[in-house]
Amino acid sequence: MTAIADEIPENGGVRVVDYLAAELTRAGVTHMFGVGGANIEDLYDAVHRTGTIRGVVAKHEFSAVTMADGYARATRRLGVVAATSGGGAMNLVPGLAEAYASRVPVLALVGQPPTGQEGRGAFQESSGKAGSFDAREVFTPVSQFCARVDDADSLAELLPRAVAAAQADPKGPAVLLLPKDVQQAQVELPDHGVTPTPLVQTTAVAGATAGPGAEARDAVSAALRGASRVLIIAGEEVASADARGELAELARRLGAWVAVTPDAKDVFDNRSPRFAGVAGVMGHANVENCLRRADLCLLVGTRVPALASGGLGQALAATPVVCINPEPPFVAGIALGGNLREALRAVVGELPSCSRPCPEHDGPVPTRVRPRVPTPLHTPVPQSGGGPVSYAEAVAAVEAALPQDAHVFVDAGNAGATAIHLLPAPRHGRFVVAVGMGGMGYTFGAGIGAALATGQRTYVLAGDGAFFMHGMEVHTAVEYAAPVTFVIFNNNAHAMCAIRDELIQGGVRSDDLFARTDIAAGVAAAFPALDATWAGDAAQLRQALLRSNASGGPAFIALDCHAREIPPFLPFLPFTESTESTKRPESEESSDERGPVHVG
């Protein structure tokens, strides 16, 4: 393959897209994800010519963004997505919104019609002229930086600004709008290229309780030294900043309990005696118990959004809070901003080096819940030789088979809530939950992006609802031989919605309940070369997972679950706990044809 440098004319000029591809290579990008089209095809051609960046074609632009998102989370490098104009561009928005909310560095390169056709009714025009909408106004709210490259020379300025904005604090998407004629134009090569910009150090202050810089560090250190019992709640920024070691050392010196937010199970060893569990609506009661016993709550790498603070409101309000994070927390307290890893190192350096013992605590005991359902939900019709598998049994099978260097991507819904609650994070891989926007189907693209970027086995845990949204990205995994194991918990329903209808709205709507679909058989028929399996029980699930671990490419496993099974989800507890004193005799429960109802 001919390198770009070999094709540079004597005058030193190259196509804008060739320059762009070369600079992405210089920035360490190894994959570009997207869907092709007329107004982005030149960039795909340039990426192909580099011989270093792999262009990955997804089935849908939303999944292309999540591939770039998963790539970025797994590697801590810049994820890149490319899309054409019109509907292709608009399909990027929900994926960019997730990356924006979760602070994931993604660069979106969006093709546009040629500048000479602007204001003349160009196909898929979004210049803002002559009654068309302005793409910049669409992308600006879901990006840290958005700009239109109006001419070839401006790319040399806008590209480094976009890369810097995506990787600064707070991180997030950057968007460059690229008209087709600008992509094809010649540009003079500058003396230097784009390099990833170091994270910008900033200091955020909550409630004006501490000043910037040294004053804030002193206030945080004094508060920590004065506390005998500390609960740390750690968030996803710990993984993003590669600060797991600093967090562990801080916990050791403080003798602290460590809880994690739902999207950050992998930032602290889930098997450590210090591990208190998951905080929030899908978490463990032990976190609240530790918080009520603590003299201080230390937030590290999180702002404690609602999903992480659910059920902790009163205890948080009654406990002094210190936060170390690039952005200020959503609760009042002393806040130290800036680069998280450096801030943790500074704080740790001011604490005594000796290890303090961790006070006793119950640990992350699984929540046990019972439903109060006067109107039964439908029971799935099982395949011959199998039946509904409880989420708890299925997650236990996943835990038994999961390689400790694997990545895990957990989707929304009942299966996701159960996995967050019950499945320990692998010791040497990511455990990713997209709680920024909470969109169903995120995991299919994200898991593929992480697997292609790292070559490590990646598990995607999702329900049938998520599969029907974006599950055909299985095709992408097959085409690129991505080492992804897709595990589909099929309850033939939007089950969390159905349970909410029943418990909270007072009745079940039939539109959230589906006729049974044999997803594994459908996928097997569509992709004959794919190892696609239906697991009739937990043992078969474990066997299929172990088989997938030994393979080099993708695998697909579906199992039947029950739409009635209540996940460990805080909003459901008031309805389920009320029945504990009046539950039926064990013999009557065992003959209930409506299926399993317990988790834990």
Side-chain angles (χ1 to χ4, degrees):
M1 182 174 294
T2 303
I4 290 176
D6 296 333
E7 295 187 345
I8 297 176
E10 292 184 1
N11 62 5
V14 297
R15 292 183 305 169
V16 163
V17 288
D18 292 324
Y19 164 72
L20 176 54
E23 295 299 276
L24 292 177
T25 300
R26 193 187 301 271
V29 174
T30 59
H31 292 73
M32 183 181 78
F33 306 93
V35 180
N39 286 328
I40 202 64
E41 61 190 3
D42 297 286
L43 179 58
Y44 268 96
D45 174 69
V47 164
H48 177 73
R49 288 167 179 266
T50 66
T52 56
I53 299 177
R54 189 178 191 185
V56 177
V57 176
K59 309 288 93 62
H60 191 278
E61 289 83 3
F62 168 80
S63 291
V65 179
T66 66
M67 288 177 193
D69 178 301
Y71 171 101
R73 296 197 204 214
T75 64
R76 293 187 299 104
R77 298 197 299 266
L78 180 70
V80 179
V81 61
T84 193
S85 53
M90 295 303 99
N91 286 339
L92 296 174
V93 172
L96 292 176
E98 163 58 36
Y100 180 85
S102 293
R103 305 300 193 243
V104 181
V106 170
L107 174 64
L109 304 170
V110 186
Q112 298 286 281
T115 55
Q117 297 180 16
E118 293 176 358
R120 300 171 57 187
F123 178 62
Q124 298 182 334
E125 181 172 354
S126 55
S127 67
K129 299 178 180 178
S132 66
F133 72 89
D134 192 335
R136 285 171 295 190
E137 295 183 359
V138 174
F139 289 112
T140 294
V142 293
S143 64
Q144 301 291 356
F145 178 88
C146 180
R148 181 181 175 85
V149 182
D150 290 317
D151 55 71
D153 293 336
S154 64
L155 183 65
E157 173 200 354
L158 293 174
L159 181 58
R161 288 177 60 190
V163 172
Q167 297 182 318
D169 282 331
K171 294 179 284 293
V175 179
L176 290 178
L177 303 172
L178 301 165
K180 184 175 178 66
D181 58 322
V182 174
Q183 295 178 51
Q184 296 173 331
Q186 293 283 309
V187 63
E188 293 290 326
L189 287 177
D191 293 333
H192 57 83
V194 179
T195 56
T197 304
L199 298 179
V200 177
Q201 299 185 32
T202 59
T203 299
V205 181
T209 52
E215 185 179 350
R217 289 196 300 273
D218 291 345
V220 168
S221 299
L224 295 178
R225 286 195 299 268
S228 60
R229 287 186 175 180
V230 177
L231 172 66
I232 296 174
I233 300 179
E236 205 278 341
E237 180 64 24
V238 175
S240 179
D242 193 22
R244 292 181 180 87
E246 287 76 11
L247 172 65
E249 178 63 16
L250 179 63
R252 185 187 72 82
R253 295 195 184 194
L254 291 174
W257 302 301
V258 180
V260 295
T261 58
D263 59 340
K265 287 198 74 172
D266 59 344
V267 304
F268 192 79
D269 184 359
N270 293 185
R271 298 162 183 82
S272 167
R274 298 187 185 278
F275 184 59
V278 178
V281 296
M282 293 167 280
H284 302 97
N286 182 58
V287 176
E288 182 182 6
N289 295 336
C290 290
L291 181 58
R292 292 188 182 279
R293 295 170 58 194
D295 302 316
L296 181 75
C297 180
L298 173 60
L299 309 178
V300 178
T302 180
R303 308 176 74 186
V304 285
L307 286 181
S309 62
L312 302 178
Q314 291 183 348
L316 277 172
T319 308
V321 173
V322 169
C323 179
I324 305 176
N325 190 58
E327 297 181 272
F330 294 119
V331 295
I334 300 172
L336 174 62
N339 177 274
L340 179 64
R341 191 177 187 185
E342 293 181 4
L344 285 175
R345 288 178 174 176
V347 170
V348 167
E350 297 185 16
L351 295 173
S353 60
C354 59
S355 177
R356 287 172 54 181
C358 173
E360 293 185 0
H361 63 115
D362 293 336
V365 178
T367 298
R368 179 181 174 90
V369 294
R370 286 182 60 85
R372 180 182 66 83
V373 274
T375 305
L377 302 181
H378 78 308
T379 300
V381 179
Q383 294 191 19
S384 175
V389 182
S390 76
Y391 289 125
E393 292 174 334
V395 169
V398 171
E399 180 182 359
L402 184 67
Q404 289 305 299
D405 62 348
H407 302 303
V408 178
F409 284 77
V410 177
D411 220 297
N414 286 4
T418 307
I420 291 168
H421 193 83
L422 294 178
L423 181 61
R427 287 187 173 92
H428 308 296
R430 291 301 322 266
F431 189 107
V432 176
V433 185
V435 299
M437 288 288 110
M440 292 172 64
Y442 161 89
T443 55
F444 292 94
I448 293 169
L452 290 177
T454 65
Q456 293 170 230
R457 175 59 53 180
T458 300
Y459 278 33
V460 167
L461 309 181
D464 54 309
F467 172 79
F468 286 125
M469 285 191 176
H470 292 286
M472 280 299 100
E473 291 300 335
V474 169
H475 179 269
T476 308
V478 171
E479 287 291 302
Y480 292 90
V484 183
T485 300
F486 300 96
V487 183
I488 308 303
F489 299 75
N490 184 12
N491 51 36
N492 298 288
H494 284 158
M496 183 169 280
C497 295
I499 292 171
R500 289 184 62 88
D501 291 342
E502 186 142 6
L503 298 182
I504 298 174
Q505 301 298 329
V508 178
R509 299 197 316 268
S510 61
D511 50 353
D512 282 324
L513 307 176
F514 313 142
R516 187 184 183 280
T517 304
D518 191 342
I519 296 176
V523 169
F527 308 106
L530 176 65
D531 181 7
T533 306
W534 175 77
D537 56 35
Q540 292 179 15
L541 172 59
R542 180 173 179 271
Q543 291 171 1
L545 291 170
L546 291 174
R547 188 169 66 249
S548 79
N549 293 345
S551 71
F556 188 95
I557 308 164
L559 61 148
D560 286 330
C561 297
H562 207 299
R564 264 192 94 246
E565 184 172 348
I566 308 296
F569 190 58
L570 186 62
F572 297 154
L573 293 183
F575 299 94
T576 60
E577 291 174 346
S578 64
T579 65
E580 283 296 326
S581 61
T582 59
K583 65 180 180 180
R584 295 167 295 165
E586 193 68 29
S587 60
E588 185 178 348
E589 283 193 359
S590 64
S591 64
D592 187 353
E593 295 181 354
R594 293 178 296 174
V597 296
H598 293 162
V599 170

